[in-house]
Amino acid sequence: MRRLLGFLAVLAALVLLAGGFLAWTIQRSVPPAREMHAVLPAGLAITADAGVTIDFDALGTPTIRGGSEAAVAFGQGYAHARDRRFQMELLRRTAAGRLSELVGRAALSSDRFFRTLGFAVVADVGTARLGPHRRALFEAYSAGVNAWDATHPPPPEFLLLGAPVEPWTPRDIGLASLLMQQDQCWEAAGDERDREIMESALSPALVEFLTPVVTAWDTPLLAGAAPAEAPLPTPADVDLRTARAWAPSHAPVSVALAFGPRMERDGAQGSNGWAVAGARTRSGRPLLANDPHMTLRVPTLWHRQRLEFADDARDAAGAPLARAITGATLPGVPGIVFGSNGAVAWGGTNVQGDFVDLVRCMPADAETLAYVGPTGPERFGVRLEVIAVKGTSPESLRVRTTRFGPIVGPSRAKGGGLLAAQWSALDPATLDTDLLPIDRATSLDGFLAALATYRGPQLSVVVADSAGRVGWKVGGLMPRRGPGAFDRVRDATDRDAAWTGYVAWDSVPALVDPKDGVIFSANQRMVGGREWALLGGSIGAPWRARRIAAVLGARTDFTAADMGVLQNDLDAAYLEPTAEAIERALAALPAAELAADDTLTRVAAILAGRERRADSTSVAHAYLVQARTAIRQALVDPLVAPCAAVDSEFVYTWPLVDEVVRRLLAARAPHLLDSKHGDYDAALCFAARRAAATLGARVPGTPFDRITWGQVNRGDLAHPLGGVSPLLARLLDLPRPAFAGGAHVVRVMQPRHGASFRMVADLADPAASTFALPGGQSGHFRSPHYGDQFATWWEGRATPLEPGPPVGNSRLTPGRRPRVRIRRPARHARPRHVQGGS
């Protein structure tokens, strides 16, 4: 017994020692509050003798000062690595298709996808072609990242995964940029793939009807003829009364390959951005607001920074450049993406344009060594990718390439074939760009001139300057196409399938100084006429844009606080067509039949008391969100059902489904209604009951007419490693409060999708400018800045855009080898808050 007790005592001591060592190792990797480093490598193009200074305020927001753009880029790399080093590692590994090296087979589908696209190849070629100025800037940024790595322990995620800390290079900047392009623009390829599936299973008239690009609620920014509305399909096109549908000639398969899973994307892409000219503000100077809607995660996507330059640089026209810029940065990339420099403020939203074309390539021989091009057979290029997989043997992937781009999957058209992706992101020239010329512009004209050099993800850019001007323009490369429809798969034999370059900058859609002084961009159809022929795309639902336009057009005395209130607006007018349709169906029921149906009686009561707002306490909003889905399932799903025979994973995801439902209910054509329903009112009552049952199943034990929106719309901001175990989830994930807002209200707030930041820029009073981040500056779970801004963001409040007084700093000075003096974290001052929202 004594020997056993001794053994247990030794074992307990070893466990305590191991636990203590682990705790010490993790705490040691928390970024220090104050430090001085001799880290600037010899030969780096940094002219300031004093090096780089980084001051941190009470929220951990850095102010980076240097004597040149390269010096500031070095400081940015250092600050990004300090707070987001593991996030940066995931960005570059994801884009390069190297996640399986860290986590094993669970990441193989992601790695196959990105290896097929060939982002690593694009980054290699694009980096080799960088101009001298951009190369120096990218090298300085990379040196800043590596300086941090050389003088500090890696964050705990590296320890947990056993991941090596590899040097950061300019190539990795390209990979991070390309990943953002994929996130913003690749959806267009999925739309074309889905359209091809529909064309294989449905009549042409039905496909056109199911893929509208105009709605009855559109609010375009530029005047121009709207694209034509498709006619209603006739019984010869589809007749659900006889269950007669077009039958595909081939067996169902999944064609996901390099497209990724197709999920319903009700609001899955989007953003709000607007500007009001001085004539509509109390101060007489413009106001600008921006909140990009993206996946909510831990750590947050963005990192707020302020950059200050000591130089006296001027632009090409001889105008002085801004010497201080504040805004949102992307870890892994130098420059500020959206922000303000006091003279100019800018933001951006997803264009929702079509910048990816799929091209059908028919093999020219049985061995599929060649395909039929516009002038005859052309050999496929072949690239062998070897994917290292943790815990098992590597996997080999053969990628075929064409003159258009890589083969990303099989065609589902009659006769088969392969689909190649033609995409601007796969042009290495897109990487020869930087953000600093845009960041430092001091007038609207100067900003637009600098924007001409931008080649990143295509954006609807909203801009305002202190002279009182506002403008909008699409930034990024826009393909120049030949004649023919580019919203569907083209054939490789078509001489007009290949792009002929990019649209000239002067021809890119723009609007400057509109007469009403209002510019708004919320992923709606922005243009018509000639401009639509350039942009195209599956544009977003018009609901947010309509609300924003109505509010901005109603007053001429706006303040920065008013912009924050609008960013948190909960008006839910988009659900009124759903409510009115159900009310009409219930009114058509005999009174006795309605009274005998307990579910429909309670539905009627919910609708009668609806608030028309997406409050977390709203019962009506919770029900109507589910009812809108149920109506779509009842009316539209039967029309697309044959598509499952072509692709077993097909999901109808068209963002303007509300327009399809509106036209179905307006026409009430019997041949377009599922035969199991007697009429459209019966289908709507069926949907109303189904919505009640589905909602009740989501919150078991609570009657559906007592379930609030906040009970089903709860935050779910998770760390990439939070799903490994409940313990890690408790340590790494953020709280799960009830969210007010939704997919189609101005305050976009879904469990894992919403405002990735909220910014308001006041060009009359920079101190009134605000910023809100759904988390914190740091990605280290033991840092005080891991989630310290989450509550502010969730509650609809904000903090000043400009950093507060410094409470910590880093001094980076020239030296031959890394040397460090550290002072451990001090007690931080309380952050300043600015009231905003609702």
Side-chain angles (χ1 to χ4, degrees):
M1 178 63 69
R2 183 177 300 173
R3 184 174 299 176
L4 176 61
L5 291 175
F7 172 77
L8 292 176
V10 170
L11 181 61
L14 290 175
V15 170
L16 288 173
L17 284 173
F21 177 76
L22 178 62
W24 174 81
T25 301
I26 291 174
Q27 191 61 35
R28 179 171 170 264
S29 65
V30 176
R34 296 179 184 273
E35 61 181 355
M36 180 174 289
H37 277 189
V39 295
L40 302 188
L44 188 65
I46 297 178
T47 59
D49 293 336
V52 179
T53 299
I54 308 177
D55 288 332
F56 299 94
D57 73 356
L59 291 174
T61 304
T63 296
I64 303 168
R65 299 181 178 90
S68 66
E69 289 184 344
V72 171
F74 180 93
Q76 274 200 285
Y78 191 89
H80 277 154
R82 176 186 189 272
D83 284 337
R84 304 291 185 85
R85 187 60 182 86
F86 181 68
Q87 181 184 33
M88 294 165 63
E89 189 69 20
L90 288 185
L91 289 175
R92 71 169 170 182
R93 283 181 176 269
T94 299
R98 295 182 56 208
L99 281 179
S100 298
E101 295 178 20
L102 294 185
V103 299
R105 299 188 64 84
L108 264 176
S109 61
S110 173
D111 284 353
R112 293 183 189 122
F113 171 68
F114 287 103
R115 294 294 185 102
T116 298
L117 291 179
F119 276 180
V121 177
V122 176
D124 285 336
V125 177
T127 302
R129 296 179 182 176
L130 288 175
H133 176 76
R134 293 187 178 108
R135 175 171 292 281
L137 198 70
F138 286 15
E139 288 178 348
Y141 178 90
S142 301
V145 176
N146 296 329
W148 172 268
D149 288 344
T151 52
H152 297 82
E157 293 93 339
F158 283 85
L159 178 65
L160 179 64
L161 295 173
V165 180
E166 300 174 356
W168 196 265
T169 68
R171 172 186 188 261
D172 298 321
I173 297 173
L175 287 171
S177 302
L178 288 169
L179 191 61
M180 181 62 75
Q181 295 211 47
Q182 182 272 330
D183 184 79
Q184 293 294 294
C185 307
W186 180 247
E187 193 65 48
D191 291 335
E192 290 193 9
R193 192 278 306 268
D194 284 356
R195 187 183 183 104
E196 185 187 57
I197 293 170
M198 287 192 283
E199 288 172 344
S200 296
L202 311 173
S203 67
L206 181 54
V207 174
E208 292 299 320
F209 177 74
L210 291 169
T211 55
V213 293
V214 296
T215 81
W217 306 284
D218 283 354
T219 54
L221 198 60
L222 288 182
E229 180 181 86
L232 200 74
T234 68
D237 300 312
V238 58
D239 194 341
L240 295 182
R241 294 172 299 186
T242 60
R244 181 173 61 82
W246 286 39
S249 59
H250 37 275
V253 298
S254 169
V255 295
L257 191 56
F259 292 96
R262 297 293 285 155
M263 305 297 291
E264 236 180 304
R265 51 190 170 103
D266 191 18
Q269 294 255 352
S271 301
N272 297 326
W274 64 80
V276 289
R280 287 193 171 272
T281 69
R282 186 174 298 175
S283 69
R285 296 286 181 88
L287 295 165
L288 180 140
N290 188 210
D291 53 293
H293 308 146
M294 305 184 78
T295 301
L296 299 176
R297 63 195 81 191
V298 184
T300 63
L301 176 64
W302 307 101
H303 190 259
R304 177 169 37 167
Q305 295 183 351
R306 177 178 171 85
L307 312 181
E308 293 187 4
F309 305 85
D311 61 29
D312 294 312
R314 295 177 177 270
D315 65 17
L321 295 176
R323 301 180 70 180
I325 311 107
T326 305
T329 71
L330 181 66
V333 178
I336 285 177
V337 183
F338 305 122
S340 174
N341 60 32
V344 174
W346 66 99
T349 68
N350 195 321
V351 181
Q352 301 288 132
D354 184 357
F355 307 115
V356 185
D357 284 351
L358 296 183
V359 182
R360 185 183 301 108
C361 301
M362 297 300 297
D365 52 64
E367 290 79 18
T368 65
L369 299 177
Y371 65 98
V372 183
T375 60
E378 299 181 7
R379 289 188 66 85
F380 285 108
V382 178
R383 187 176 72 246
L384 183 64
E385 297 280 351
V386 179
I387 305 174
V389 184
K390 186 175 183 178
T392 187
S393 56
E395 177 177 294
S396 295
L397 177 70
R398 189 180 68 145
V399 179
R400 283 175 287 188
T401 61
T402 69
R403 67 159 64 201
F404 308 101
I407 295 296
V408 294
S411 169
R412 297 312 297 157
K414 186 177 181 179
L418 301 169
L419 295 179
Q422 187 172 208
W423 184 19
S424 56
L426 301 182
D427 182 349
T430 62
L431 300 184
D432 192 13
T433 187
D434 68 71
L435 298 170
L436 286 176
I438 299 170
D439 297 345
R440 303 189 68 184
T442 53
S443 68
L444 187 144
D445 289 337
F447 180 92
L448 293 180
L451 187 63
T453 67
Y454 168 76
R455 297 175 179 179
Q458 289 86 355
L459 295 169
S460 277
V461 181
V462 179
V463 59
D465 71 11
S466 58
R469 306 180 66 195
V470 295
W472 164 81
K473 187 150 186 167
V474 175
L477 297 176
M478 295 179 54
R480 187 171 64 235
R481 298 171 167 109
F486 59 85
D487 60 346
R488 60 204 68 194
V489 177
R490 305 283 285 265
D491 284 312
T493 56
D494 183 350
R495 293 179 181 273
D496 294 316
W499 297 348
T500 57
Y502 298 104
V503 175
W505 180 244
D506 291 343
S507 298
V508 174
L511 176 64
V512 176
D513 297 330
K515 290 182 179 180
D516 63 358
V518 174
I519 285 178
F520 57 94
S521 173
N523 318 113
Q524 81 277 23
R525 180 173 66 83
M526 301 284 287
V527 298
R530 184 191 71 86
E531 284 79 9
W532 176 257
L534 294 176
L535 289 179
S538 58
I539 52 95
W543 305 111
R544 286 180 287 112
R546 282 183 67 82
R547 176 61 176 171
I548 292 167
V551 172
L552 295 182
R555 291 173 51 186
T556 57
D557 62 345
F558 285 110
T559 65
D562 295 324
M563 300 295 97
V565 170
L566 181 53
Q567 286 181 326
N568 288 280
D569 185 87
L570 299 176
D571 180 84
Y574 82 98
L575 289 174
E576 280 304 288
T578 298
E580 292 166 1
I582 295 176
E583 284 180 325
R584 174 178 171 177
L586 296 181
L589 287 176
E593 185 176 339
L594 177 61
D597 192 318
D598 179 63
T599 296
L600 293 185
T601 299
R602 288 193 280 169
V603 167
I606 290 174
L607 299 183
R610 67 185 182 272
E611 311 91 339
R612 297 174 175 81
R613 286 173 53 84
D615 289 300
S616 60
T617 57
S618 172
V619 169
H621 192 79
Y623 175 77
L624 284 170
V625 167
Q626 195 62 57
R628 175 174 172 265
T629 298
I631 291 175
R632 189 266 299 159
Q633 291 170 337
L635 300 184
V636 182
D637 283 8
L639 294 171
V640 300
C643 295
V646 177
D647 177 5
S648 59
E649 295 186 358
F650 176 84
V651 179
Y652 175 74
T653 64
W654 201 253
L656 298 186
V657 65
D658 288 329
E659 176 65 12
V660 176
V661 170
R662 183 193 71 81
R663 295 191 63 196
L664 287 172
L665 291 177
R668 295 191 169 232
H671 66 283
L672 298 178
L673 180 66
D674 190 337
S675 59
K676 73 179 182 181
H677 303 300
D679 56 27
Y680 278 85
D681 286 336
L684 289 168
C685 289
F686 171 83
R689 296 187 191 95
R690 182 175 183 174
T694 304
L695 185 61
R698 294 187 66 179
V699 187
T702 303
F704 81 91
D705 56 346
R706 294 184 182 178
I707 296 172
T708 65
W709 179 231
Q711 288 178 274
V712 295
N713 192 47
R714 304 193 72 86
D716 188 14
L717 280 70
H719 188 279
L721 300 183
V724 173
S725 73
L727 174 60
L728 284 177
R730 286 195 295 271
L731 287 174
L732 302 176
D733 296 352
L734 291 186
R736 302 190 62 201
F739 276 180
H744 297 292
V745 300
V746 178
R747 178 182 161 107
V748 171
M749 290 276 277
Q750 297 171 281
R752 293 193 176 189
H753 180 81
S756 56
F757 69 76
R758 297 191 193 99
M759 178 182 72
V760 174
D762 187 335
L763 289 169
D765 180 11
S769 300
T770 60
F771 195 88
L773 198 64
Q777 288 284 103
S778 178
H780 197 298
F781 78 100
R782 292 290 297 163
S783 167
H785 306 305
Y786 186 67
D788 56 340
Q789 299 180 57
F790 176 72
T792 300
W793 170 86
W794 163 56
E795 294 166 1
R797 297 181 292 122
T799 58
L801 173 64
E802 299 298 335
V807 298
N809 55 64
S810 295
R811 300 286 186 263
L812 313 180
T813 59
R816 291 187 177 182
R817 63 180 62 183
R819 179 170 51 85
V820 58
R821 286 187 296 165
I822 294 176
R823 291 170 61 182
R824 283 293 145 195
R827 198 178 188 88
H828 286 186
R830 294 179 61 85
R832 299 170 294 154
H833 294 283
V834 176
Q835 185 65 39
S838 54

